[in-house]
Amino acid sequence: MSSRTLPLLFINLGGEMLYILDQRLRAQNIPADKAKKVMNDIITTMFNKKFLEELFKPQELYSKKALRTVFDRLAHASIMRLNQASMDKLYDLMTMAFKYQVLLCPRPKDILLVSFNHMDAIKDFVKDTPSILSQVDETYRQFFFNTNIGEFQLIRQTLLIFFQDMHIRVSIFLKDKVQNSNGRFVLPTSGPVPHGTQVPGLIRIFSCTGEEITRLKFNNGGNYTTALREGSFDIFGDRVTKLGTNMYSVSRPVETHMSGTSKNSAQHTKVSAAPNPLAKEELNLLARLMGGLEVQKPGNTDTDFRINLFATDEEEEEALISRPDELSYGVINIQATKDQQANAELAKIMGEFTESGDQSPSVSNKGDDLLAMMDGL
């Protein structure tokens, strides 16, 4: 597992989230000033300097539940509100889109180009706000350009392990015939080969002196073409690949469905009752990351509004009821305050992760430690 995967996962999922929210804000005819405020607030929070400093520190990739909690908080960093069913759908669309992009990356290093496509689009969202634009530009400089091929392969492997049990059917992918009815993606056997490689189909045999002796041809089983030019890894430039660009720029309805395979596997994949040895570290990660996330407090009915990722409220309610419990991400709500309610909430969370017979400090002390850490940010 690579310890440098988390920032790539966060930025790419965040980019997909912004694509979807931008599309829904336009589809629901939200006034331009409110829509701009939502996008600006979320992007400002997403590229907060202190937040990214924690994100780019080498660390293990944490659970889906922990990341979902961060994105739930991020999505509510402005005046927009999402019900649970819409948040579930938003997260499903984000994860399946990036999973598809990782699977189709010609080379492991091209995950960087996918990330830059997302960031280029994010910059376009805030092109009229120089202060936010500079935050995004600063993030480019934190990427690990000098990483070797082996490390990029490990990053790709880590991402695929994270996504391997996710098989949500997405209408766009189904219509484009790049996803099967069981939620699994169809990988192409045609198109350009990765940059720096040749079209398969030829075996060359050399002598011990390096002289070519003979050539043998074979059927490669596909319809491959020569590689395209390499995409630009500079702050500005042509990325060449379309992976990571906005697939919602053309108005088209997007639905998600749990595939039969996913439902069946979810029934057999019960949540382990054994304590997670990374639980404390996971909560510490959330405390550090979320300490820098300032969430707009609800209450101003004149400015707050709700976004629905479904066609109607009835569909949203039905989706919430019909979603299997096994597939719930179980979002943890952490409030970075010193009040008694937050302390009790953290104590309860820590209690759920505490091993029976554990001689570690009391649950309430653990909650106090986390609160102190968050207040220090």
Side-chain angles (χ1 to χ4, degrees):
M1 300 282 282
S2 172
S3 61
R4 308 179 80 176
T5 308
L6 186 58
L8 287 169
L9 181 60
F10 175 79
I11 286 173
N12 285 284
L13 288 180
E16 288 299 321
M17 180 179 78
L18 290 166
Y19 291 162
I20 298 163
L21 293 179
D22 174 64
Q23 190 270 339
R24 293 312 301 163
L25 288 166
R26 286 185 282 108
Q28 293 187 209
N29 296 317
I30 301 300
D33 58 334
K34 288 189 175 183
K36 184 176 181 179
K37 176 174 173 54
V38 168
M39 299 297 283
N40 284 356
D41 287 349
I42 292 176
I43 295 170
T44 299
T45 306
M46 183 176 168
F47 290 92
N48 176 276
K49 185 177 180 181
K50 186 185 294 185
F51 179 73
L52 288 176
E53 283 175 358
E54 290 294 336
L55 200 69
F56 273 87
K57 288 178 180 178
Q59 55 195 296
E60 291 297 315
L61 193 61
Y62 286 78
S63 72
K64 298 176 180 67
K65 180 185 289 187
L67 283 172
R68 164 62 195 269
T69 301
V70 172
F71 278 107
D72 188 276
R73 192 174 176 97
L74 181 62
H76 293 90
S78 187
I79 56 176
M80 178 191 68
R81 298 289 165 257
L82 289 166
N83 286 346
Q84 184 179 331
S86 284
M87 188 66 214
D88 287 340
K89 180 176 179 179
L90 174 63
Y91 193 73
D92 288 343
L93 289 170
M94 291 158 50
T95 52
M96 292 306 290
F98 186 43
K99 177 182 179 178
Y100 179 65
Q101 293 157 13
V102 173
L103 285 170
L104 261 65
C105 271
R107 305 173 302 172
K109 185 180 180 181
D110 290 337
I111 293 172
L112 268 187
L113 294 177
V114 175
S115 305
F116 293 162
N117 270 337
H118 281 118
M119 292 178 66
D120 290 345
I122 291 170
K123 286 171 63 176
D124 194 52
F125 286 138
V126 293
K127 60 186 177 184
D128 298 326
T129 315
S131 59
I132 308 177
L133 200 58
S134 64
Q135 284 182 251
V136 183
D137 281 338
E138 182 60 33
T139 306
Y140 277 102
R141 300 178 180 90
Q142 299 189 48
F143 275 101
F144 14 87
F145 295 102
N146 297 324
T147 302
N148 59 43
I149 296 173
E151 179 66 23
F152 274 118
Q153 174 60 26
L154 195 57
I155 288 172
R156 181 178 183 274
Q157 251 182 338
T158 306
L159 287 169
L160 291 177
I161 290 170
F162 179 84
F163 289 127
Q164 66 180 350
D165 295 324
M166 297 182 178
H167 305 297
I168 312 296
R169 292 180 296 168
V170 179
S171 60
I172 286 181
F173 294 140
L174 292 169
K175 289 172 184 174
D176 291 345
K177 301 187 187 306
V178 297
Q179 190 180 33
N180 290 326
S181 58
N182 61 4
R184 298 180 184 275
F185 288 114
V186 179
L187 299 183
T189 56
S190 62
V193 296
H195 180 79
T197 64
Q198 298 177 344
V199 175
L202 179 66
I203 300 173
R204 295 187 293 172
I205 301 174
F206 295 85
S207 67
C208 57
T209 60
E211 181 182 357
E212 184 177 328
I213 300 174
T214 184
R215 294 187 174 195
L216 300 173
K217 292 185 177 181
F218 65 92
N219 184 0
N220 59 29
N223 185 24
Y224 299 103
T225 58
T226 55
L228 300 172
R229 69 186 188 282
E230 186 174 32
S232 172
F233 290 90
D234 296 330
I235 291 183
F236 304 100
D238 183 2
R239 313 302 177 192
V240 178
T241 180
K242 297 301 180 185
L243 297 174
T245 55
N246 191 351
M247 66 178 179
Y248 307 99
S249 55
V250 178
S251 180
R252 49 200 300 202
V254 184
E255 300 298 334
T256 57
H257 309 277
M258 295 308 306
S259 66
T261 304
S262 296
K263 289 180 180 177
N264 294 335
S265 62
Q267 292 172 358
H268 297 294
T269 310
K270 299 296 182 183
V271 178
S272 173
N276 179 358
L278 291 177
K280 183 177 179 181
E281 288 80 359
E282 203 164 273
L283 286 171
N284 285 338
L285 168 78
L286 287 178
R288 291 197 303 274
L289 292 186
M290 294 166 63
L293 293 181
E294 296 182 1
V295 178
Q296 184 87 13
K297 293 183 179 180
N300 189 342
T301 56
D302 293 332
T303 57
D304 288 5
F305 63 91
R306 184 171 68 89
I307 282 289
N308 188 349
L309 267 74
F310 296 84
T312 64
D313 289 346
E314 289 73 19
E315 282 187 27
E316 186 179 42
E317 292 174 7
E318 176 62 28
L320 180 61
I321 296 170
S322 61
R323 190 176 181 89
D325 291 339
E326 294 87 348
L327 297 174
S328 172
Y329 296 102
V331 177
I332 303 169
N333 293 315
I334 297 180
Q335 300 295 331
T337 62
K338 285 187 176 180
D339 60 33
Q340 187 175 2
Q341 180 182 359
N343 189 26
E345 188 172 16
L346 275 173
K348 179 182 177 183
I349 294 167
M350 291 304 297
E352 292 173 356
F353 287 123
T354 304
E355 294 186 30
S356 57
D358 185 12
Q359 300 301 314
S360 57
S362 69
V363 169
S364 61
N365 287 340
K366 290 180 181 178
D368 290 337
D369 290 343
L370 286 175
L371 286 169
M373 184 185 301
M374 288 189 286
D375 289 332
L377 292 176

